[in-house]
Amino acid sequence: MQRELILDEFQNTMRHIAAAVYAITTTVEGKRYGIVATAVSSVSFDPPSLLICINQDASVHAPLMEADIFCVNVLGLANRDVADCFMAKKGEDRFEIGEWADQMGVPVLANAQSSLICKTVDRHSFGTHTIFIGELIGAQHRDNAKPLTYYDRRYIDISAAPDQVAG
Ligand SMILES: Cc1cc2nc3c(=O)[nH]c(=O)nc-3n(C[C@H](O)[C@H](O)[C@H](O)COP(=O)(O)O)c2cc1C
């Protein structure tokens, strides 16, 4: 298969996989940095750990290379405004929307669905991205939250029609 065709099919495939939306944040020398991301996965329960994949061209990349700690804020439907603000603004201005608290030296979104604070334990460069592996050092979760989900290049509410699921 031709490279362009494979890439095309890959992008179409990924577009049709519903994904949770995260605001990944860190602080370096008192300055906050953040990015909206979907490339996040749990890695292991022992130790509790997860990975994030960040484009090396993204403004948060250099700070993440420098920082020891980052936070994966799992966004709920109520945090759509935060996702929009992160995409519309740059640098510190990304934190204009939402109530951000400083916990363990990183920005944590007070009303996120969950917040997972990680210590960076490994970094791997692959292609255009760096995979950061983080070991959990702090976590909080809200049971009643509804997840913000990205599907087919737009945000959707997967909690809207749960009884329509087959099986
Ligand atoms: C729903 C969504 C998911 C995204 N997921 C990722 C991701 O997992 N990793 C990544 O590096 N960029 C991801 N991006 C792109 C970054 O959010 C965006 O390119 C970045 O904020 C721009 O970089 P800047 O900080 O240099 O302006 C995603 C964007 C959207 C809208």
Side-chain angles (χ1 to χ4, degrees), residues 21 34-40 53-55 57-60 86-87 89-90 94 129 150 155:
V21 183
I35 186 172
V36 168
T38 50
V40 174
C53 302
I54 303 295
N55 193 307
D57 288 337
S59 58
V60 80
F86 267 46
M87 292 308 291
K89 306 266 170 134
K90 298 274 177 203
R94 288 189 175 156
H129 282 55
Y150 198 66
Y155 294 108

Tab-separated table of all heavy atoms in Angstrom, residues 21 34-40 53-55 57-60 86-87 89-90 94 129 150 155, ligand 1:
chain	number	residue	atom	x	y	z
A	21	VAL	N	-11.080	13.359	26.147
A	21	VAL	CA	-10.319	14.588	25.914
A	21	VAL	C	-9.656	15.035	27.226
A	21	VAL	O	-10.299	15.032	28.282
A	21	VAL	CB	-11.239	15.709	25.366
A	21	VAL	CG1	-10.436	16.963	25.054
A	21	VAL	CG2	-11.994	15.227	24.119
A	34	GLY	N	0.021	24.316	28.703
A	34	GLY	CA	-1.000	23.287	28.580
A	34	GLY	C	-1.302	22.947	27.134
A	34	GLY	O	-0.975	23.699	26.212
A	35	ILE	N	-1.922	21.785	26.953
A	35	ILE	CA	-2.308	21.322	25.613
A	35	ILE	C	-3.566	20.464	25.722
A	35	ILE	O	-3.752	19.746	26.714
A	35	ILE	CB	-1.155	20.510	24.966
A	35	ILE	CG1	-1.473	20.133	23.512
A	35	ILE	CG2	-0.832	19.246	25.792
A	35	ILE	CD1	-0.297	19.507	22.756
A	36	VAL	N	-4.438	20.551	24.723
A	36	VAL	CA	-5.567	19.627	24.611
A	36	VAL	C	-5.055	18.388	23.891
A	36	VAL	O	-4.409	18.495	22.852
A	36	VAL	CB	-6.729	20.255	23.809
A	36	VAL	CG1	-7.762	19.208	23.442
A	36	VAL	CG2	-7.376	21.367	24.603
A	37	ALA	N	-5.338	17.213	24.451
A	37	ALA	CA	-4.814	15.979	23.854
A	37	ALA	C	-5.814	14.835	24.010
A	37	ALA	O	-6.656	14.836	24.917
A	37	ALA	CB	-3.496	15.608	24.513
A	38	THR	N	-5.694	13.874	23.083
A	38	THR	CA	-6.458	12.630	23.218
A	38	THR	C	-5.525	11.420	23.319
A	38	THR	O	-5.958	10.339	23.705
A	38	THR	CB	-7.403	12.423	22.009
A	38	THR	OG1	-6.646	12.592	20.815
A	38	THR	CG2	-8.568	13.395	22.025
A	39	ALA	N	-4.245	11.616	22.939
A	39	ALA	CA	-3.300	10.492	22.939
A	39	ALA	C	-2.768	10.245	24.345
A	39	ALA	O	-1.646	10.619	24.701
A	39	ALA	CB	-2.169	10.756	21.964
A	40	VAL	N	-3.622	9.641	25.155
A	40	VAL	CA	-3.313	9.328	26.562
A	40	VAL	C	-3.751	7.893	26.807
A	40	VAL	O	-4.788	7.463	26.317
A	40	VAL	CB	-4.092	10.278	27.518
A	40	VAL	CG1	-3.909	9.870	28.974
A	40	VAL	CG2	-3.659	11.727	27.316
A	53	CYS	N	1.238	11.278	24.486
A	53	CYS	CA	2.023	11.458	23.256
A	53	CYS	C	1.891	12.910	22.820
A	53	CYS	O	0.776	13.383	22.553
A	53	CYS	CB	1.502	10.553	22.143
A	53	CYS	SG	1.522	8.822	22.583
A	54	ILE	N	3.009	13.595	22.776
A	54	ILE	CA	2.992	15.034	22.494
A	54	ILE	C	3.849	15.364	21.278
A	54	ILE	O	5.022	14.956	21.191
A	54	ILE	CB	3.517	15.835	23.720
A	54	ILE	CG1	2.677	15.509	24.973
A	54	ILE	CG2	3.539	17.331	23.444
A	54	ILE	CD1	1.225	15.946	24.921
A	55	ASN	N	3.253	16.126	20.354
A	55	ASN	CA	3.958	16.560	19.154
A	55	ASN	C	5.151	17.438	19.555
A	55	ASN	O	5.018	18.331	20.387
A	55	ASN	CB	2.988	17.356	18.265
A	55	ASN	CG	3.542	17.571	16.884
A	55	ASN	OD1	4.660	18.054	16.705
A	55	ASN	ND2	2.764	17.202	15.888
A	57	ASP	N	6.481	19.727	18.029
A	57	ASP	CA	6.302	21.132	17.646
A	57	ASP	C	5.370	21.888	18.597
A	57	ASP	O	5.246	23.114	18.495
A	57	ASP	CB	5.704	21.234	16.228
A	57	ASP	CG	6.717	20.842	15.166
A	57	ASP	OD1	7.926	20.930	15.455
A	57	ASP	OD2	6.294	20.439	14.065
A	58	ALA	N	4.691	21.179	19.479
A	58	ALA	CA	3.722	21.845	20.364
A	58	ALA	C	4.454	22.670	21.425
A	58	ALA	O	5.536	22.290	21.891
A	58	ALA	CB	2.831	20.805	21.032
A	59	SER	N	3.838	23.787	21.811
A	59	SER	CA	4.498	24.706	22.752
A	59	SER	C	4.724	24.083	24.127
A	59	SER	O	5.585	24.518	24.874
A	59	SER	CB	3.685	25.994	22.881
A	59	SER	OG	2.377	25.697	23.325
A	60	VAL	N	3.951	23.038	24.452
A	60	VAL	CA	4.103	22.402	25.758
A	60	VAL	C	5.257	21.384	25.762
A	60	VAL	O	5.668	20.911	26.815
A	60	VAL	CB	2.762	21.716	26.168
A	60	VAL	CG1	2.591	20.360	25.465
A	60	VAL	CG2	2.652	21.528	27.665
A	86	PHE	N	-8.153	26.479	25.374
A	86	PHE	CA	-6.809	25.958	25.106
A	86	PHE	C	-6.494	26.022	23.606
A	86	PHE	O	-5.366	26.292	23.213
A	86	PHE	CB	-6.678	24.506	25.601
A	86	PHE	CG	-6.137	24.395	27.008
A	86	PHE	CD1	-6.617	25.200	28.031
A	86	PHE	CD2	-5.154	23.466	27.317
A	86	PHE	CE1	-6.114	25.093	29.326
A	86	PHE	CE2	-4.639	23.350	28.608
A	86	PHE	CZ	-5.124	24.160	29.610
A	87	MET	N	-7.496	25.743	22.772
A	87	MET	CA	-7.255	25.752	21.325
A	87	MET	C	-7.176	27.182	20.787
A	87	MET	O	-6.452	27.445	19.829
A	87	MET	CB	-8.359	24.980	20.592
A	87	MET	CG	-8.358	23.486	20.861
A	87	MET	SD	-6.757	22.675	20.604
A	87	MET	CE	-6.575	22.789	18.828
A	89	LYS	N	-6.297	30.041	22.537
A	89	LYS	CA	-5.295	30.941	23.133
A	89	LYS	C	-3.906	30.303	23.161
A	89	LYS	O	-3.752	29.116	22.877
A	89	LYS	CB	-5.721	31.292	24.569
A	89	LYS	CG	-7.127	31.853	24.692
A	89	LYS	CD	-7.106	33.358	24.667
A	89	LYS	CE	-8.495	33.911	24.554
A	89	LYS	NZ	-8.815	34.992	25.439
A	90	LYS	N	-2.947	31.089	23.581
A	90	LYS	CA	-1.548	30.624	23.682
A	90	LYS	C	-1.051	30.836	25.114
A	90	LYS	O	-1.576	31.690	25.841
A	90	LYS	CB	-0.651	31.440	22.742
A	90	LYS	CG	-1.004	31.304	21.268
A	90	LYS	CD	-0.323	30.114	20.659
A	90	LYS	CE	-0.720	29.910	19.217
A	90	LYS	NZ	-0.551	28.564	18.742
A	94	ARG	N	-4.172	30.456	28.114
A	94	ARG	CA	-4.983	29.232	28.076
A	94	ARG	C	-5.659	28.964	29.427
A	94	ARG	O	-6.624	28.213	29.494
A	94	ARG	CB	-4.107	28.028	27.680
A	94	ARG	CG	-3.739	28.093	26.212
A	94	ARG	CD	-3.070	26.856	25.689
A	94	ARG	NE	-2.888	27.047	24.248
A	94	ARG	CZ	-1.986	26.453	23.497
A	94	ARG	NH1	-1.162	25.584	24.017
A	94	ARG	NH2	-1.903	26.703	22.205
A	129	HIS	N	6.549	12.710	17.499
A	129	HIS	CA	6.072	12.844	18.875
A	129	HIS	C	7.078	12.362	19.924
A	129	HIS	O	8.012	11.627	19.612
A	129	HIS	CB	4.769	12.048	19.052
A	129	HIS	CG	3.574	12.761	18.482
A	129	HIS	ND1	3.516	13.193	17.169
A	129	HIS	CD2	2.400	13.138	19.049
A	129	HIS	CE1	2.354	13.803	16.958
A	129	HIS	NE2	1.651	13.784	18.090
A	150	TYR	N	-14.282	13.185	21.889
A	150	TYR	CA	-13.986	13.707	20.558
A	150	TYR	C	-14.219	12.600	19.544
A	150	TYR	O	-13.693	11.488	19.683
A	150	TYR	CB	-12.532	14.172	20.508
A	150	TYR	CG	-12.206	15.110	19.378
A	150	TYR	CD1	-12.758	16.387	19.326
A	150	TYR	CD2	-11.329	14.738	18.379
A	150	TYR	CE1	-12.439	17.264	18.296
A	150	TYR	CE2	-11.001	15.612	17.343
A	150	TYR	CZ	-11.566	16.867	17.318
A	150	TYR	OH	-11.248	17.741	16.302
A	155	TYR	N	-16.778	17.511	19.207
A	155	TYR	CA	-17.050	17.046	20.559
A	155	TYR	C	-18.463	16.475	20.610
A	155	TYR	O	-19.391	17.058	20.047
A	155	TYR	CB	-16.903	18.192	21.559
A	155	TYR	CG	-15.489	18.697	21.664
A	155	TYR	CD1	-15.129	19.934	21.146
A	155	TYR	CD2	-14.501	17.917	22.266
A	155	TYR	CE1	-13.817	20.391	21.222
A	155	TYR	CE2	-13.183	18.362	22.349
A	155	TYR	CZ	-12.861	19.595	21.822
A	155	TYR	OH	-11.564	20.033	21.888
B	1	LIG	C1	-9.354	16.888	20.308
B	1	LIG	C2	-7.884	17.173	20.113
B	1	LIG	C3	-6.943	16.221	20.475
B	1	LIG	C4	-5.584	16.460	20.328
B	1	LIG	N1	-4.688	15.507	20.748
B	1	LIG	C5	-3.357	15.782	20.709
B	1	LIG	C6	-2.428	14.855	21.251
B	1	LIG	O1	-2.781	13.804	21.780
B	1	LIG	N2	-1.104	15.173	21.194
B	1	LIG	C7	-0.650	16.344	20.617
B	1	LIG	O2	0.558	16.580	20.594
B	1	LIG	N3	-1.533	17.246	20.089
B	1	LIG	C8	-2.860	16.990	20.140
B	1	LIG	N4	-3.767	17.898	19.659
B	1	LIG	C9	-3.277	19.127	19.046
B	1	LIG	C10	-2.941	20.170	20.094
B	1	LIG	O3	-3.951	20.394	21.033
B	1	LIG	C11	-2.651	21.483	19.370
B	1	LIG	O4	-2.000	21.241	18.184
B	1	LIG	C12	-1.728	22.330	20.165
B	1	LIG	O5	-2.441	22.951	21.180
B	1	LIG	C13	-1.078	23.373	19.313
B	1	LIG	O6	0.151	23.518	19.780
B	1	LIG	P1	0.643	24.917	20.412
B	1	LIG	O7	0.553	24.731	21.912
B	1	LIG	O8	2.043	24.974	19.919
B	1	LIG	O9	-0.251	26.013	19.934
B	1	LIG	C14	-5.145	17.674	19.782
B	1	LIG	C15	-6.090	18.638	19.388
B	1	LIG	C16	-7.449	18.379	19.557
B	1	LIG	C17	-8.456	19.431	19.152
